[in-house]
Amino acid sequence: MKRAHLASVAAISLTAAFASSAAQAEDLTLCWAAWDPANALVALSKDFEAQSGHKMSFEFVPWPNFADRMLNELNSGGQLCDLMIGDSQWIGGSAENGHYIKLNDFFDANGIKMDDFIDATVVGYSQWPKNTPNYWALPAFGDVVGWTYRKDWFERPELQAEYKEKYGRDLAAPKTFAELKDIAEFFQNREIDGKTVYGASIYTERGSEGITMGAMDVLYSFGFKYENPDKPYEMEGFVNSPGAVAGLEYYKALYDCCTPPGSSNGYMSEGIDAFKSGQVAMQMNFAFTWPGFETDANVGGGKTGYFANPAGPDGDQFAQLGGQGISVVAYSQKKDAALEYIKWFAQPEVQAKWWSMGGFSCLKAVTLAPEFPQSQPYAQTFLDSMAIVKDFWAEPSYATLLQDTQKRFHDYVVAGQGTAQEALDGLVRDWTENFEDDGRI
């Protein structure tokens, strides 16, 4: 089996790694979101318990409540969590506010090299300030927004013939957003196997981060930039550039033309449900959902295909980064034992097992192994997607920046208020005011 070979990449044995440890056994609590990867981590961590003598407990919170619950825990100096797998956007605030311990010396002392991890995950999950060698987390779970599609529908000869006659090209995974919209329109309100289906499920959720993650996934490839590359926090003409406006207009057009009824407040779980139930031909969602589709009774068994976020009108191609790093909480009374866990988790054979169990490893020894692209049907799409990622602000005030974005995007895309230009002009004003209050500009 290819997975078995992946699991053999370690340079040292796990037993040897902890044989010399004389540290007193501790009860450690790891905090994360409540989702399928967390369940896999519980199973994986049994190896750590057996080898270290420490006992692992877990505090998992559903995604809609995860940020509020855990950021409150950090801001209050709480000692519930010894280890935190916090969202990528938290890294700036957690570093500057002293919530996480800095890991540079620990990494150096234990031979953990950030060059061994996918570059984008190091920047996205570990560094603050960004693009500086200051590390506050170990990349733990690589994630990115990509797409699934009903490969079995796409392969039906009658649909292939009809599509080719209409559009002059084969019905296949889209390479551009223009092609994606054509396909979504082709499937919208079509009857398949006696059931009305729809073009695509996309993110529209208002309450947390959903519509931002979805719309940004499109805007990047249309030319959106968070700031002037040569002048930090200068946003006029970048956030609201003509390309960014066109991207937001596209996102609204896709929502208006090609989503199922009742799609005004959907995020990850709604997308999963829409795809598994056979409502949609294509679905935008984070990569963490992909293992579940492979084992699903309705869409598994080769019925699902995967593709990276398509290219925009000028050929630019980017995707919204998801995922998290694992950090030691500064308020923990068990920091040494928590650091043992990170040392264990960083080992190549643990990372290979993590991938085999449905976790998305960020370690190059796993993801760049020659057999990796064939290890899962979605493995190549994961690699392709992680090579083109961008991420939302990771500033300490990211939550306010996110709330502003959620409101502006939802008001325009879903509620139909104003224009895309007005929404993005307003966002420039919102963000400028925020950074002025923060003393950044």
Side-chain angles (χ1 to χ4, degrees), residues 34 61-68 205 207-208 267-269:
V61 179
W63 273 113
N65 311 109
F66 177 54
D68 285 346
E205 182 263 359
S208 61
Y267 196 17
M268 295 179 282
S269 61

Side-chain angles (χ1 to χ4, degrees), residues 263-282:
S263 296
S264 61
N265 195 39
Y267 196 17
M268 295 179 282
S269 61
E270 289 80 7
I272 293 170
D273 291 344
F275 194 73
K276 285 185 175 181
S277 66
Q279 286 188 64
V280 293
M282 297 180 292

Side-chain angles (χ1 to χ4, degrees), residues 205-206 209 211-212 402-408 410:
E205 182 263 359
R206 170 68 177 84
E209 64 174 14
I211 197 167
T212 299
L402 182 59
Q403 289 167 1
D404 292 337
T405 315
Q406 285 285 106
K407 183 179 189 310
R408 295 288 183 184
H410 200 273

